Amino acid sequence: MEFIYISLAVALVLLVLHFVMLKLSLNKEVRILVIIASLVGFTYWGIEPYAHHIMHPEVAEADFTFKDLKNVDTSLAGNAENGKVLVEANCIACHSIESAGFPQMMPNADAAASYGVVPPDLSSAGRIYDKNYLANFIFDPVSAMHLQHKYTPESGKSFPMPSYNWMSAQEIMDIVAYFESIAPKVAEGSEAHKQSFDAACGRCHSMAYAGSEALTPAETIKNYMGATPPDLSQYIKSRGHHYLNNFINDPQVLLHGTSMPRVGLTEKAQEEVIAYMEEVGDRKKAERETLGLWVMLYTLIFAILAYLWKRKIWSEVH
Amino acid sequence: MAEFKKADSMLEWFDQRLGVVNFAKVMMTEYWIPKNINFLWAMGVLLTVLFTFLVVSGIFLLMYYKPDVNMAFDSVNYTIMQEVAYGWLFRHIHAVGASVVFLVIYIHMFTGIYYGSYKKGREMIWVSGMLLFVLFSAEGFSGYMLPWGQMSYWAAYVITELFGGIPFIGNELVVWIRGNFYVSDSTLTRFFMLHVLLLPLLIIGAIVFHFYALRFPHVNNEEGEFFDFDEEAEKYKAGDKKGSKVVAFWPVFLSKDFFVLGFFMLFFFYLTFFHYGFAMDAINFDKADGLKTPAHIYPEWYFLWSYEVLRGFFFDIAGISGKSLGLIAFGIANVIFFLLPWLDRSPMVKPANQRPYFKYWFWLMMADLVVLTVFGKLPPTGINAWIGFASSMTFLILFASLPFITKAEAKKAGGK
Ligand code: HEM
């Protein structure tokens, strides 16, 4: 319906344009150009922006506050020292924290075999994960990840990390404060981009065009997730910024039922991840844009010279 | 053997051996084009230039492309786009050029239709032009398969599958075209051969034929006026350039074409560097996967109108399945333009807007093709399916009625 209204409006505009052009007694070639540009422009609008909007309806804006998660009172101020004690007692049996001197206990393949997926190193947890998300994740990982549909009692599967819902909100916030205190400061730019990607996505996804392979072996992860997570080398091109931004923030919104967890990245970390995907997937972007301007400038000069030459030649025959 | 006197200049040396002076006259400085033309007459030269761009960029791509299902995707998206110096530039020029060439072909075609440049002696220009259209379509289709992305695979799957609808031999034909029971490595390799060898050869041949076909009937003009080219040429050569109705191909006609070309290339390079998404579909950056059907399958934009004619018939009529009806209509859509010179029964060669009935036909056809193109991309559900049906029917009815409309027009004009 919408389409019909818009088309009628366009037809009306064209009609008016037609009479205005006649009234102005515009040069005939200009009139032809206007007609062609309108037809082509309208068709373009129909097969690109309009079709895109129909095939990929808008979804809710990405929510970087994770406001659906309310199990932990995140207004409490955490005590990093107490958090350290809690982490050492509860987390390092499975997780490495290289930045705090807790190395990985076993090779990736063995870790993957024991847990289904390689448990993440927690060094940068305090930097890349949203505070609210992280607290609620510790409280109950599965609901934070929006993967309740996968770990149903009937499925017989359970997520390898237990819920720490027996902890008090204060204790959880202490843990969060500890992670924030140990997160390494990283430089801005491509190094940070890669680091965020590796920490947030690299356990499951490969990036072949950057020469990196998922930490968890493909076979193991297929058993664990039900599907092999795709290589992300070209995802910046096949999905684009806008889609990735919504998707990473909460995969279920765009791909209902997917096995990919919501990872809970802060807006900044997510921007870094996407920037990295662009650096790998569209490596020549900067070169393309600079060269593009030069080529267009050159062509403009050619066009102007050609116009002057045409004027001179045609003045002899008109 | 004829006597050769010693040449005084390089030009003379070549002229003695190749007749270059006369050749240049016949092809350039004394090849006469009507003066009364607008920038739409530059489209042929634009097409020639675009084709050259496609050939040159294609040759560069060919040096790194690998026609093998396991290597094709990465050879394009990694080797060419990221490793080879300026490989991305050649790929962008090639992909955008292939899309834009169709835009210009359509403008060129509808210019021909608008000014009636397909009849009264110009039939062979038209037929050779349509031959080029068909060859370019095959070239575009086969080329789109080569990067072996999701859309490459599924468009190839859907279009080759169509041949299965042909009675009796359909199934065997599909297998013969694919070289296998499904779209596979053999399909990719043979379409690669078509794309880089056979079709380009045929296209070059058809372009030469098209140019040759232009020589005798001469190029049409803005008013569809017939005049004596020899007489006008004599005037021009005698120095009455302003009074003559013709100009020389070189430098007069081409100077205008270069000017149009300059601004067109500005637009073209803008698309190549900054706005190429329409020519390189996002979905094709996912590697082909025969087990994962994309949510929406659609061909490149220039096939959308005929694809929509195919999809338009989504229900059975008089016991014939919708699928067969669609296929028949699709077949008609692909050849009917060849017959235009004979379907138009009016002898009038004039711009459409000066023809009492044809003008409605022309603008209705344009509107219908735009609607078909837009709905060819949208999912064919709900009201969209019915709009598709109505616009497909409109397309067929317009063509079926053309002889009658133009016959009536001829009568009306004759009666005056
Ligand atoms: C890539 C392919 C093509 C090339 C390189 C090409 C080239 C040309 C050139 C150089 C001219 C002379 C002047 C002008 O541009 O009007 C011309 C004229 C013409 N072409 Fe094409 N053409 C192509 C495709 C087509 C197609 C697809 C059609 C239509 C089915 C077509 C139909 C015509 C007609 C009817 C004329 C005569 C125009 C007139 O007399 O005013 N051409 N073409």
Side-chain angles (χ1 to χ4, degrees), chain B residues 31 33 40-45 47-48 51 101 105 108-109 111-113 115 117-118 122 125-133 136 203 207 210-211 214 218-221 249 253 257 337:
Chain B
Y31 173 32
I33 307 284
L40 291 171
W41 271 267
M43 295 305 131
V45 166
L47 285 170
T48 314
F51 180 65
V101 89
I105 283 180
H108 187 59
M109 253 176 97
T111 302
I113 299 180
Y115 291 103
S117 312
Y118 50 84
R122 297 200 176 87
I125 308 179
W126 180 258
V127 170
S128 59
M130 273 307 293
L131 194 64
L132 277 167
F133 177 72
F136 266 90
I203 287 176
I207 290 179
H210 191 56
F211 287 1
L214 281 161
H218 285 289
V219 172
N220 195 6
N221 56 72
F249 181 73
F253 178 71
D257 283 6
F337 278 102

Side-chain angles (χ1 to χ4, degrees), chain B residues 177-390:
Chain B
I177 292 171
R178 291 177 178 168
N180 203 327
F181 294 101
Y182 51 96
V183 174
S184 61
D185 192 64
S186 50
T187 324
L188 176 62
T189 316
R190 62 185 50 203
F191 275 83
F192 170 69
M193 179 284 290
L194 288 174
H195 187 75
V196 305
L197 180 76
L198 187 56
L199 291 170
L201 278 183
L202 293 175
I203 287 176
I204 292 169
I207 290 179
V208 171
F209 180 45
H210 191 56
F211 287 1
Y212 179 68
L214 281 161
R215 294 296 298 211
F216 295 95
H218 285 289
V219 172
N220 195 6
N221 56 72
E222 247 185 356
E223 295 301 324
E225 185 187 354
F226 286 87
F227 53 80
D228 187 336
F229 270 75
D230 294 333
E231 208 172 279
E232 298 300 325
E234 285 313 317
K235 256 197 230 167
Y236 186 91
K237 281 199 280 188
D240 184 12
K241 293 189 180 178
K242 289 193 200 284
S244 172
K245 286 183 175 169
V246 297
V247 293
F249 181 73
W250 173 269
V252 187
F253 178 71
L254 276 188
S255 73
K256 184 163 181 177
D257 283 6
F258 283 2
F259 151 61
V260 177
L261 180 70
F263 284 95
F264 168 76
M265 288 317 282
L266 202 57
F267 170 64
F268 175 74
F269 284 131
Y270 165 70
L271 297 176
T272 302
F273 289 98
F274 299 104
H275 200 93
Y276 42 82
F278 72 99
M280 301 164 86
D281 199 289
I283 298 174
N284 226 21
F285 288 94
D286 276 344
K287 208 180 204 147
D289 182 350
L291 299 175
K292 212 180 199 168
T293 320
H296 306 280
I297 302 180
Y298 41 80
E300 286 284 78
W301 72 266
Y302 39 87
F303 294 134
L304 287 171
W305 68 270
S306 54
Y307 185 61
E308 186 63 3
V309 171
L310 171 80
R311 293 199 307 185
F313 297 85
F314 61 96
F315 50 88
D316 301 358
I317 301 174
I320 309 176
S321 77
K323 206 174 156 212
S324 304
L325 287 170
L327 200 60
I328 294 168
F330 180 69
I332 294 175
N334 280 300
V335 298
I336 195 75
F337 278 102
F338 270 106
L339 301 181
L340 194 61
W342 296 279
L343 293 174
D344 181 347
R345 312 279 302 223
S346 158
M348 211 182 261
V349 177
K350 285 222 168 313
N353 276 9
Q354 293 177 25
R355 296 175 57 181
Y357 299 148
F358 185 76
K359 68 174 170 214
Y360 299 110
W361 188 90
F362 179 84
W363 290 111
L364 263 176
M365 180 54 91
M366 295 303 298
D368 193 47
L369 286 170
V370 169
V371 171
L372 283 169
T373 300
V374 173
F375 282 84
K377 185 137 182 190
L378 299 177
T381 45
I383 180 143
N384 289 2
W386 287 102
I387 295 177
F389 175 69

Side-chain angles (χ1 to χ4, degrees), chain A residues 91-138:
Chain A
C91 314
I92 59 170
C94 303
H95 292 279
S96 60
I97 313 178
E98 302 277 357
S99 66
F102 301 107
Q104 201 176 353
M105 310 264 222
M106 46 181 152
N108 284 332
D110 295 348
S114 337
Y115 301 108
V117 59
V118 176
D121 179 276
L122 298 178
S123 303
S124 51
R127 185 174 79 78
I128 63 173
Y129 300 123
D130 171 72
K131 184 175 176 179
N132 183 36
Y133 179 88
L134 184 55
N136 279 282
F137 182 93
I138 297 167

Side-chain angles (χ1 to χ4, degrees), chain A residues 1 3-4 18 28-30 32-33 35-36 39-40 42-48 50-52 54-56 208-210 230 233-235 237-239 279-284 287-293 295-297 299-300 302-304 306-307 309-311 313-318, chain B residues 35 37-40 73-74 77-78 81-84 86 88-89 92 103 107 115 222-223 236 241-242 247 250-256 258-259 261-263 265-266 269-270 272-278 282-283 285-286 296 298 301 304 363 366 370 373-375 377-379 383 387:
Chain A
M1 264 303 123
F3 178 84
I4 295 175
H18 180 71
K28 189 154 168 194
E29 310 226 9
V30 176
I32 297 172
L33 188 63
I35 290 172
I36 291 181
L39 278 171
V40 173
F42 176 71
T43 311
Y44 173 80
W45 169 82
I47 59 181
E48 284 293 319
Y50 180 70
H52 197 265
I54 295 289
M55 290 190 272
H56 310 278
Y209 290 4
S233 300
Q234 287 291 284
Y235 264 47
K237 299 211 159 180
S238 63
R239 302 302 188 277
E279 282 153 19
V280 173
D282 193 9
R283 195 143 63 85
K284 298 297 173 103
E287 182 179 77
R288 185 174 67 232
E289 290 177 350
T290 338
L291 183 67
L293 289 176
V295 170
M296 286 182 69
L297 182 66
T299 314
L300 181 66
F302 170 85
I304 292 170
Y307 173 65
W309 185 50
K310 182 245 160 195
R311 281 248 313 231
I313 299 265
W314 279 72
S315 69
E316 291 165 21
V317 300
H318 256 172
Chain B
K35 187 186 289 173
I37 52 174
N38 54 47
F39 77 89
L40 291 171
F73 184 84
D74 291 333
N77 291 309
Y78 185 65
M81 290 291 278
Q82 303 208 354
E83 294 277 272
V84 176
Y86 296 104
W88 60 268
L89 177 61
H92 276 226
L103 174 63
I107 295 175
Y115 291 103
E222 247 185 356
E223 295 301 324
Y236 186 91
K241 293 189 180 178
K242 289 193 200 284
V247 293
W250 173 269
V252 187
F253 178 71
L254 276 188
S255 73
K256 184 163 181 177
F258 283 2
F259 151 61
L261 180 70
F263 284 95
M265 288 317 282
L266 202 57
F269 284 131
Y270 165 70
T272 302
F273 289 98
F274 299 104
H275 200 93
Y276 42 82
F278 72 99
I283 298 174
F285 288 94
D286 276 344
H296 306 280
Y298 41 80
W301 72 266
L304 287 171
W363 290 111
M366 295 303 298
V370 169
T373 300
V374 173
F375 282 84
K377 185 137 182 190
L378 299 177
I383 180 143
I387 295 177

